[in-house]
Amino acid sequence: MTMPKWGLSMKTGKIVDWFVSEGDTIAKGDDIVDIETDKIAGTLESPVEGPLRRIVAEPGADLPVGAVLAVVAPADVPDSEIDAVVEEAKAAVASGALEADDEPEPQLVDVGGRTISYLVLGPEDAGDPVVLVHGYGGDKNSWLFVQQPLAEEGRRAIALDLPGHGASGKDVGDGSLQTLADTVSGFLDALGIGRAHLVGHSLGGAVVAAVAKAAPGKVASLTLIAPAGFTPEVDAEYLRGFAAAASRRELKPLVGRLFADEALVTRQLVDDLLRYKRLDGVDKALTAVLGTLLDGDRQALDTPALLEGVDVPVTVVWGASDRIVPVPDGVELTRVEAGHMPHMEAPGEVLAAVRARL
């Protein structure tokens, strides 16, 4: 079991706390260890099953991606062989041999006169790709716990920055849902993608629903993560505050509202958001899109109406502790232990929902 790579920027991870002990028998998907990255803390789920023979990485250790964290092996493997693996793993870290491989780089594409940044992971010949669309104020990096695992399973996973967000151009036009949906639809065309599994978070959920409404033939399935527009209620103070925040002091408490566990928010995450908000054109873009999201203090979008008559499989996932958009009543959905960011706080459940449609 090795240090995972959660997102392009991750070079190392810090061991926070183990949930298992040597001698335990673990199963695939079990929560194993909390790891803190420069973005956020996450929980590593076991990719294997069997007896946990050794824990190599102690709490507090800051280790490179690929470093051995623990050894899982059948009981009949001699202790001497396990000890040899542990010593080899420690030597690899000490030698600096675990240098990061060449990383895939984000790419740019012109869609209707707008520059869209995106990152592709996974093989090209992997069937209908998974396209990941972030929420308001977010970017493609928010899928760090979802995109990489999908790619490692042999899926082509593509995360893009909506107009006005991330490394995409900051021209959002009128900032309407139609403009954003047309951009995602045009993005699929530009990359030669005939059909895709669309996964959208928050605003991105409404965007991919609008794509399915306008062009259902392009959509193999929809997975909506805490999508906007399912209830009139919304934390309008958060949305307006995020658009207006210009300092760490203003931004940090707002970002904390996104998570059930505010302790997950790192200084680096807030700094990256602040850096983005200070880019030319971001204020104007966020203000324009804010007008699409809000009607007074209530949500202006009606996503269920977009889905009426759309004949593609739809899965809805919601954080039970969402403080931004409340869990709707009367909607078939999967409730997970998270706030408004289930794909960061409960990525295993989100991955399971996406995989079920592939």
Side-chain angles (χ1 to χ4, degrees):
M1 194 177 306
T2 60
M3 178 66 75
K5 182 171 179 59
W6 290 329
L8 273 184
S9 65
M10 182 174 173
K11 306 297 182 188
T12 64
K14 183 178 181 179
I15 302 298
V16 178
D17 196 17
W18 286 91
F19 301 122
V20 292
S21 301
E22 292 182 359
D24 289 350
T25 297
I26 58 177
K28 286 184 179 179
D30 282 354
D31 289 346
I32 299 300
V33 59
D34 268 352
I35 298 171
E36 185 176 285
T37 75
D38 60 349
K39 297 289 186 185
I40 192 172
T43 300
L44 175 65
E45 296 180 350
S46 177
V48 297
E49 59 187 13
L52 180 62
R53 301 290 299 275
R54 292 286 191 281
I55 289 178
V56 181
E58 298 297 329
D62 201 348
L63 297 168
V65 170
V68 174
L69 305 182
V71 180
V72 178
D76 58 358
V77 175
D79 282 346
S80 58
E81 292 188 21
I82 302 297
D83 291 340
V85 170
V86 171
E87 290 307 313
E88 184 179 349
K90 291 180 177 178
V93 172
S95 69
L98 297 173
E99 296 292 336
D101 297 332
D102 290 339
E103 302 289 352
E105 294 288 338
Q107 302 174 60
L108 300 174
V109 64
D110 182 276
V111 179
R114 294 187 172 90
T115 300
I116 299 300
S117 176
Y118 66 101
L119 176 68
V120 180
L121 299 180
E124 291 188 8
D125 56 345
D128 295 334
V130 179
V131 175
L132 306 160
V133 183
H134 61 79
Y136 179 71
D139 64 27
K140 56 185 176 295
N141 295 318
S142 66
W143 298 104
L144 75 171
F145 298 130
V146 173
Q147 187 179 15
Q148 187 81 25
L150 288 172
E152 291 174 351
E153 295 166 9
R155 295 287 178 179
R156 191 181 185 207
I158 304 169
L160 64 91
D161 290 336
L162 289 170
H165 293 74
S168 287
K170 300 305 178 283
D171 172 21
V172 299
D174 59 4
S176 67
L177 187 67
Q178 187 65 54
T179 295
L180 299 177
D182 286 348
T183 301
V184 172
S185 185
F187 173 80
L188 299 179
D189 294 339
L191 267 63
I193 298 171
R195 199 173 74 144
H197 298 276
L198 299 183
V199 181
H201 168 244
S202 197
L203 168 64
V207 170
V208 298
V211 173
K213 181 73 170 181
K218 293 183 177 181
V219 182
S221 71
L222 290 173
T223 303
L224 311 180
I225 315 299
F230 266 72
T231 63
E233 295 79 21
V234 65
D235 186 349
E237 181 184 75
Y238 162 80
L239 291 171
R240 293 194 180 99
F242 182 86
S247 68
R248 166 190 290 280
R249 182 177 56 82
E250 294 171 316
L251 194 56
K252 185 175 181 180
L254 293 168
V255 177
R257 293 191 199 182
L258 293 169
F259 297 88
D261 181 3
E262 296 189 18
L264 295 176
V265 178
T266 65
R267 181 184 182 92
Q268 186 66 48
L269 178 61
V270 177
D271 286 348
D272 288 348
L273 282 170
L274 195 57
R275 191 175 301 113
Y276 153 70
K277 292 194 84 273
R278 289 172 173 168
L279 295 175
D280 288 344
V282 168
D283 280 354
K284 183 178 179 181
L286 290 178
T287 299
V289 178
L290 186 63
T292 293
L293 289 169
L294 289 180
D295 179 6
D297 287 341
R298 300 169 76 83
Q299 293 204 66
L301 300 175
D302 185 350
T303 303
L306 293 170
L307 296 173
E308 289 178 2
V310 175
D311 188 21
V312 301
V314 179
T315 301
V316 181
V317 180
W318 223 292
S321 303
D322 194 327
R323 289 180 282 174
I324 306 301
V325 289
V327 181
D329 295 325
V331 176
E332 184 177 347
L333 56 81
T334 299
R335 194 182 295 240
V336 301
E337 293 301 318
H340 189 58
M341 307 293 282
H343 51 313
M344 299 185 81
E345 285 191 278
E349 288 88 342
V350 171
L351 278 165
V354 174
R355 290 183 187 120
R357 296 300 189 186
L358 302 181

